[in-house]
Amino acid sequence: MIRTPYLLFLGDAPDNLAAKVAQGIQDWRPENVVGQFRMEGCKADVGAPDMSLQDAWDKGARTLVVGVANRGGVISEAWIAVLAEAMEIGFDIASGLHNLLRDEKVLKATSARTGATLHDVRIPTVAYPIANGKKRSGKRCLAVGTDCSVGKMYTGMAMDAEMQKRGLKSTFRPTGQTGILITGKGVPLDAVVADFMAGAVEWLTPENDADHWDHIEGQGSLWHVSYSGVTMALIHGGQPDALVLAHEPTRTHMRGLPDYALPALEDLRERALQMAQIANPACKVAGVSVNTKALSDADATALCAEIEGRMGLPTVDPYRHGAGRLVDALLEL
Amino acid sequence: MIRTPYLLFLGDAPDNLAAKVAQGIQDWRPENVVGQFRMEGCKADVGAPDMSLQDAWDKGARTLVVGVANRGGVISEAWIAVLAEAMEIGFDIASGLHNLLRDEKVLKATSARTGATLHDVRIPTVAYPIANGKKRSGKRCLAVGTDCSVGKMYTGMAMDAEMQKRGLKSTFRPTGQTGILITGKGVPLDAVVADFMAGAVEWLTPENDADHWDHIEGQGSLWHVSYSGVTMALIHGGQPDALVLAHEPTRTHMRGLPDYALPALEDLRERALQMAQIANPACKVAGVSVNTKALSDADATALCAEIEGRMGLPTVDPYRHGAGRLVDALLEL
């Protein structure tokens, strides 16, 4: 559990894309953001007030979140100086970088001396159990994709936000680094040891009120041979009551696998549902979430209508059209 | 890679079941076994010559393999004394126990001083890659089960042994602790980090001669919600050309999951094949392996005949009937 609210560290990000983790936090949890800290030469701006470390601390910020990718996989000296200074003031530091904060001598020593916590959210900190498969109260929704990186996290966050807006009981359950930094907790599933993957998902989505929905962040795809095991652990550990099919229509092959074609949405529906019904026979497919970022408004609307007609399922781009119809479909199940 | 041949350490095993790892090595790789070492009170006997540490060393043994389960999960003082003495003589030590050898102070210190290697085969020692899904030359066979612990390892080892006997090119590829100790190498798949599971299986089953068969040890089951992700990584990382369906007919529910029924063999065939054909469209189901240990000879024969008639696939218990018909089926694919 990462202490909130945050000061977002954008470092010397060359553009907004490099700061997409910080942008995600600002977009989805603005109430957790006190401000952004930018170094000289920073070209990113996520729209939060610029603030010094001390000002942010005085305004209540308690964790400095590294919301930016590091160039060349190196945590630069300039970054380290800022991060160390933040710990001296009292901040914890959180990061989803591949290079771990704890592996940087200066940061580790400063953390030890000041008592500040270094959160490397790529590394699990919990001894997860082996999954027991027992039925849990409460409802769960999982997005499954035709491929990796097709909008599964976004779909879950948008559905959660829509339910919150309507005053319904709902929690987004992150399973990846960005989601964990956005919400302050979750399971870095791709870093969990194989035997405990499904158990980690059970741990993440415990018993709850009968009318409460968990929106579990999906990972990978049953068709993506590098990560399909992680997807399977989500389907069985999450024992979802509802699946949402996530798709990106311009992808020409599976991400990183040029010889692998994407499945048809019909095949994804059939096989993901078969697998999900092993853990939860009542599971149903609620709708389709299409990432239409690469399309015009007209093309996006036409594509969603075409898929909706073909599949007989409510089909939207939750970013473009809102997640209202997906939430309606959940509530009708 | 564990140095062979072995001296099998049976400790103070209360019965043969407690020494089943040692028995597996003796059954499947007798050429790797110089003898067995039994302590006072040992009630197990795997059929290898009893031998002192020094005699075994003089006869060429190079690794003392802990082939016995430890009572109560504790490595006793009496065991430690023997293991340390073995290292003084020159042995390496290999173990698949949950408690790690390296966590025992005396063993760690003795290892450091003598240069002996401690092999804790539950812990991966390789930085496995992320799977790339590229087609590899050579053939691969994977046993998939209706449940855990239904004879998948045994099936693979029996098929490998049959092919070796016929002078065909064949390798058994262990993915669990027992198989690794039996053969001296492999991947402890259940201990691999999620992102690298499929890549570890690719690493284990590299390019090979076009007429060479890998027999990959299966794990878990697509229907076992605790471990289905591991099974999926084997199906996609192994890109098998052939599947063998493994089944134990007296199981009343999934192992450890009282609320979960076993799938029909027909469902296993259909869904495992669909998933396997994502990575290898040419994959076929070669046959059925039934663990008939709990049945009489007559019942075993009748059951195999019934399944064979229903499924249209060669069906045997490889322990009882030999793996010849399964190997015939592989070669006919």
Side-chain angles (χ1 to χ4, degrees):
Chain A
M1 185 87 194
I2 303 169
R3 286 197 296 167
T4 54
Y6 301 151
L7 176 63
L8 303 176
F9 176 78
L10 306 189
D12 46 3
D15 51 38
N16 271 333
L17 190 63
K20 69 178 179 177
V21 170
Q23 190 70 59
I25 300 171
Q26 173 67 20
D27 287 350
W28 290 107
R29 291 290 184 275
E31 69 274 20
N32 283 352
V33 177
V34 168
Q36 64 185 15
F37 182 95
R38 302 196 289 172
M39 291 165 57
E40 199 179 311
C42 181
K43 300 268 182 1
D45 179 353
V46 302
D50 283 299
M51 214 169 282
S52 71
L53 296 174
Q54 189 64 55
D55 282 353
W57 178 264
D58 293 342
K59 287 192 160 57
R62 287 300 172 260
T63 300
L64 183 70
V65 175
V66 179
V68 56
N70 50 336
R71 301 192 214 196
V74 174
I75 302 180
S76 70
E77 291 298 320
W79 283 25
I80 287 176
V82 175
L83 271 42
E85 188 190 340
M87 283 191 275
E88 300 286 354
I89 292 171
F91 283 97
D92 294 335
I93 314 286
S95 155
L97 299 177
H98 275 286
N99 317 52
L100 302 184
L101 300 173
R102 69 181 75 161
D103 289 343
E104 298 291 333
K105 279 183 192 166
V106 171
L107 299 183
K108 196 174 173 187
T110 308
S111 150
R113 187 163 44 73
T114 62
T117 301
L118 297 176
H119 295 283
D120 283 305
V121 302
R122 283 188 187 267
I123 305 295
T125 52
V126 173
Y128 302 113
I130 286 176
N132 63 33
K134 285 186 187 150
K135 181 72 187 159
R136 308 190 289 289
S137 55
K139 300 283 188 183
R140 285 158 200 88
C141 178
L142 172 69
V144 291
T146 50
D147 194 1
C148 300
S149 308
V150 294
K152 295 185 295 293
M153 182 184 87
Y154 197 100
T155 302
M157 298 208 68
M159 292 177 73
D160 172 53
E162 174 69 18
M163 291 190 76
Q164 302 274 351
K165 205 174 76 181
R166 297 190 193 180
L168 300 168
K169 296 177 190 168
S170 168
T171 310
F172 178 69
R173 301 295 190 182
T175 61
Q177 288 75 22
T178 303
I180 295 170
L181 287 174
I182 290 175
T183 64
K185 57 189 169 181
V187 168
L189 192 58
D190 59 11
V192 171
V193 163
D195 248 3
F196 304 100
M197 292 185 299
V201 180
E202 289 187 349
W203 176 92
L204 181 67
T205 60
E207 291 220 293
N208 216 317
D209 295 344
D211 58 345
H212 175 279
W213 281 89
D214 276 335
H215 298 278
I216 308 170
E217 182 186 353
Q219 296 290 342
S221 165
L222 287 178
W223 270 259
H224 197 294
V225 297
S226 310
Y227 308 117
S228 52
V230 181
T231 310
M232 186 60 95
L234 278 158
I235 291 174
H236 281 168
Q239 55 183 229
D241 300 274
L243 300 176
V244 172
L245 311 181
H247 183 56
E248 202 285 300
T250 67
R251 207 62 68 82
T252 55
H253 59 74
M254 298 297 287
R255 190 176 165 88
L257 305 174
D259 299 334
Y260 289 77
L262 269 73
L265 277 163
E266 287 85 345
D267 288 338
L268 173 63
R269 169 168 63 184
E270 181 189 334
R271 297 202 213 161
L273 188 60
Q274 282 177 339
M275 287 298 160
Q277 287 178 340
I278 290 171
N280 184 351
C283 185
K284 293 203 167 74
V285 176
V288 183
S289 172
V290 185
N291 177 347
T292 63
K293 197 171 172 184
L295 306 184
S296 69
D297 270 342
D299 286 350
T301 302
L303 178 65
C304 288
E306 185 271 315
I307 294 173
E308 180 151 347
R310 210 175 81 209
M311 304 282 290
L313 290 167
T315 301
V316 299
D317 179 336
Y319 184 78
R320 199 160 207 152
H321 312 119
R325 293 188 61 221
L326 296 176
V327 168
D328 292 344
L330 269 200
L331 300 177
E332 277 166 29
L333 286 182
Chain B
M1 184 89 194
I2 302 169
R3 287 196 296 167
T4 54
Y6 300 152
L7 176 63
L8 302 176
F9 176 79
L10 274 47
D12 45 2
D15 51 38
N16 272 333
L17 189 63
K20 69 177 179 178
V21 169
Q23 191 69 60
I25 300 171
Q26 173 67 19
D27 287 350
W28 289 107
R29 292 289 186 275
E31 69 274 22
N32 283 352
V33 176
V34 169
Q36 65 186 14
F37 181 96
R38 301 196 290 172
M39 292 166 57
E40 199 178 309
C42 182
K43 301 271 185 355
D45 180 354
V46 303
D50 283 299
M51 214 168 282
S52 71
L53 296 174
Q54 189 64 54
D55 283 353
W57 177 262
D58 294 342
K59 288 194 157 59
R62 288 298 172 261
T63 301
L64 183 70
V65 175
V66 180
V68 55
N70 50 337
R71 301 192 214 196
V74 173
I75 302 180
S76 70
E77 290 299 319
W79 283 26
I80 286 175
V82 176
L83 271 42
E85 189 189 338
M87 283 191 275
E88 299 286 356
I89 292 171
F91 283 96
D92 293 335
I93 314 286
S95 156
L97 299 177
H98 275 286
N99 316 52
L100 303 183
L101 300 173
R102 69 181 74 162
D103 289 343
E104 297 292 333
K105 277 183 195 167
V106 172
L107 299 182
K108 196 174 173 187
T110 309
S111 152
R113 186 162 45 72
T114 61
T117 301
L118 297 176
H119 295 283
D120 284 305
V121 303
R122 283 187 187 267
I123 305 295
T125 53
V126 173
Y128 302 113
I130 286 177
N132 62 34
K134 286 186 187 149
K135 181 72 186 161
R136 308 190 288 289
S137 55
K139 300 283 189 184
R140 286 159 198 89
C141 179
L142 173 69
V144 290
T146 50
D147 194 1
C148 299
S149 308
V150 294
K152 294 185 296 291
M153 182 183 87
Y154 197 99
T155 301
M157 298 208 68
M159 291 177 73
D160 172 53
E162 174 70 19
M163 290 191 77
Q164 303 274 352
K165 206 175 75 182
R166 298 189 192 180
L168 300 169
K169 296 177 189 168
S170 168
T171 309
F172 178 69
R173 302 293 190 182
T175 61
Q177 289 75 23
T178 303
I180 295 170
L181 287 173
I182 290 175
T183 65
K185 56 188 170 182
V187 168
L189 191 59
D190 60 10
V192 171
V193 163
D195 249 3
F196 304 101
M197 294 186 299
V201 180
E202 289 187 350
W203 176 92
L204 181 68
T205 60
E207 291 220 292
N208 216 316
D209 296 343
D211 58 344
H212 176 279
W213 279 90
D214 276 336
H215 298 278
I216 309 171
E217 181 186 353
Q219 296 291 342
S221 164
L222 287 178
W223 271 259
H224 197 295
V225 297
S226 309
Y227 308 117
S228 53
V230 182
T231 309
M232 185 60 93
L234 279 157
I235 291 175
H236 281 168
Q239 54 183 229
D241 300 275
L243 299 175
V244 172
L245 312 180
H247 183 56
E248 202 285 299
T250 67
R251 206 63 66 82
T252 55
H253 59 73
M254 298 298 286
R255 191 175 165 88
L257 304 174
D259 299 334
Y260 288 78
L262 269 72
L265 278 164
E266 287 85 346
D267 288 338
L268 174 62
R269 169 167 62 182
E270 181 189 334
R271 297 202 212 162
L273 189 60
Q274 282 177 337
M275 285 299 160
Q277 287 178 340
I278 290 171
N280 184 350
C283 184
K284 293 201 167 75
V285 176
V288 183
S289 172
V290 186
N291 177 347
T292 64
K293 198 172 173 184
L295 306 184
S296 69
D297 271 340
D299 287 350
T301 303
L303 178 65
C304 288
E306 185 271 316
I307 292 173
E308 181 152 345
R310 211 174 80 208
M311 304 282 291
L313 290 167
T315 302
V316 299
D317 180 335
Y319 185 79
R320 199 160 208 154
H321 311 120
R325 293 188 61 222
L326 295 177
V327 168
D328 292 344
L330 268 201
L331 301 177
E332 278 166 29
L333 286 185

